[in-house]
Amino acid sequence: MRHIVLILLIIFSLPLSGCFGSTSSGRSDGLSTQEAQQQYREARAADALDKAMQLYHDDEFLDENAALAYLDEAISLDPTLVTARYQRAIVLMKQGFYDDALLDVEALLTLRPDHTKARFSRGFILFKRGDFPAAIKEFSTVIEEDDSIAQAFALRGTCYANMDRHEDAIYDFDRALALNPAHYEAYYNRGLANMHLGKDQEAAKDLTQAVSLNSHSLNAIMTRASVYMKLGQYKRAAADYSRAIVLNPQDSGFYALLAEAQAGLGKYEAAQKSARRAQSLARAEGDMSTAKVYGELIEGYKKSQAAEDKSKP
């Protein structure tokens, strides 16, 4: 009997495990109900963010809409989740929802005023809105925080250019190219800035670099052609217009410009042929007023050809 009593005493003196051993209403970590709920929400938010980031490869989301749904869930559960805010802003910007993206960026900068990427994003959104002074302010802050971001210089330079501050723009494009010698936009926009300053030779060099970096850029090709026309380099201009026609053979304007370059070379028969092609395309588009203009060009080339023939011995 003593042995039985002793065994029972030993058993009841042992610490109990599981639900029978709990004396803190199921919260062994001492959290209040509100704290436990908050911890649960944060865990769910982190899980939703993790699911979103599993879709992220090579600097983009494989399925933007699915990622956006996970990011929405994460932020609804934990509005202070910085990574979720930033990634959602990036997706929204890519989809063109700049106002919604700005809300995330503003919230993020309230949480983290030193978040350089978020500040850059705010500058980009302001740039897209056409608020160039405000965008310059943001990009300047980014550059103060990190002067190794070529795109910050390139975009600030573009803002200056849009405000006709072309010297300031060129300075920023120079800085961008020092950081990234393969920056197409910096070369292209520096070329435009040099054009505005009347520096056509420098503009042609910049635009040539832009074309070498992006051989299918109609903007760079056509802008360089216009510079060549100003410089009287009609052969080079004609080559660029011909190149543009290969890229877009249905643009009547390209043929008309080619005709002008050919006329500059004294090749009036070739100019007439190009102008007729331009006229044909304009008529096919139902643009009779433009077709009439092209017809007047043709007549002008005919007269120039006749005058040239008459002057020959």
Side-chain angles (χ1 to χ4, degrees):
M1 186 65 176
R2 285 183 181 178
H3 293 299
I4 294 173
V5 173
L6 182 59
I7 291 170
L8 291 174
L9 287 173
I10 292 173
I11 290 173
F12 285 115
S13 69
L14 292 174
L16 299 179
S17 62
C19 60
F20 293 105
S22 175
T23 59
S24 58
S25 303
R27 294 191 301 276
S28 61
D29 52 5
L31 294 176
S32 67
T33 301
Q34 185 178 2
E35 289 171 336
Q37 290 175 345
Q38 180 63 25
Q39 191 178 72
Y40 176 63
R41 289 172 64 85
E42 289 174 356
R44 287 179 58 199
D47 181 62
L49 174 59
D50 183 62
K51 288 177 180 177
M53 298 311 295
Q54 287 176 21
L55 299 171
Y56 192 77
H57 295 279
D58 297 327
D59 295 327
E60 63 179 359
F61 287 104
L62 300 178
D63 185 336
E64 287 185 354
N65 290 329
L68 200 56
Y70 286 127
L71 293 169
D72 287 344
E73 180 184 357
I75 293 167
S76 68
L77 290 165
D78 184 0
T80 68
L81 208 52
V82 169
T83 301
R85 286 277 188 191
Y86 177 70
Q87 293 296 340
R88 187 169 73 173
I90 296 300
V91 173
L92 290 170
M93 283 192 292
K94 287 183 67 177
Q95 295 184 346
F97 299 115
Y98 294 109
D99 291 342
D100 292 334
L102 185 60
L103 293 175
D104 271 335
V105 170
E106 297 285 4
L108 202 164
L109 287 170
T110 300
L111 295 167
R112 285 273 308 278
D114 62 339
H115 199 294
T116 303
K117 290 183 177 180
R119 191 165 298 280
F120 176 90
S121 297
R122 181 158 68 179
F124 181 78
I125 293 168
L126 293 168
F127 167 78
K128 296 294 288 186
R129 282 181 167 182
D131 190 349
F132 301 121
I136 287 171
K137 183 178 179 181
E138 294 301 324
F139 291 132
S140 295
T141 302
V142 170
I143 289 167
E144 288 173 7
E145 295 173 353
D146 184 353
D147 62 1
S148 68
I149 303 174
Q151 191 68 353
F153 284 106
L155 286 172
R156 189 175 71 173
T158 305
C159 290
Y160 284 135
N162 277 287
M163 296 172 67
D164 292 326
R165 294 172 59 178
H166 299 295
E167 294 285 2
D168 291 330
I170 288 173
Y171 172 82
D172 271 355
F173 297 139
D174 288 346
R175 294 289 301 273
L177 289 166
L179 292 166
N180 179 8
H183 201 299
Y184 162 79
E185 288 85 2
Y187 274 118
Y188 175 72
N189 288 317
R190 191 172 72 177
L192 293 179
N194 277 317
M195 284 180 64
H196 281 286
L197 293 173
K199 299 178 179 179
D200 293 328
Q201 293 286 357
E202 289 85 347
K205 291 177 182 177
D206 283 334
L207 293 165
T208 295
Q209 288 294 332
V211 172
S212 70
L213 291 168
N214 184 355
S215 61
H216 290 83
S217 171
L218 279 171
N219 286 337
I221 293 168
M222 293 297 292
T223 306
R224 185 175 67 174
S226 70
V227 173
Y228 285 149
M229 290 292 286
K230 286 177 65 179
L231 292 170
Q233 298 180 13
Y234 300 116
K235 186 175 181 179
R236 289 181 172 179
D240 272 350
Y241 291 135
S242 296
R243 189 171 182 174
I245 288 169
V246 171
L247 294 171
N248 187 359
Q250 300 304 312
D251 192 311
S252 65
F254 292 174
Y255 286 94
L257 290 167
L258 174 60
E260 286 289 274
Q262 291 166 330
L265 291 168
K267 298 181 178 181
Y268 298 111
E269 289 185 6
Q272 291 176 58
K273 182 179 179 180
S274 296
R276 287 193 186 97
R277 178 58 178 160
Q279 186 180 54
S280 176
L281 287 169
R283 285 173 175 167
E285 294 170 357
D287 189 351
M288 304 313 293
S289 61
T290 301
K292 182 180 179 181
V293 172
Y294 295 154
E296 292 170 356
L297 286 178
I298 294 168
E299 291 304 312
Y301 300 146
K302 285 181 179 179
K303 291 178 181 179
S304 296
Q305 181 68 59
E308 185 177 85
D309 292 340
K310 188 175 180 180
S311 66
K312 291 179 181 179

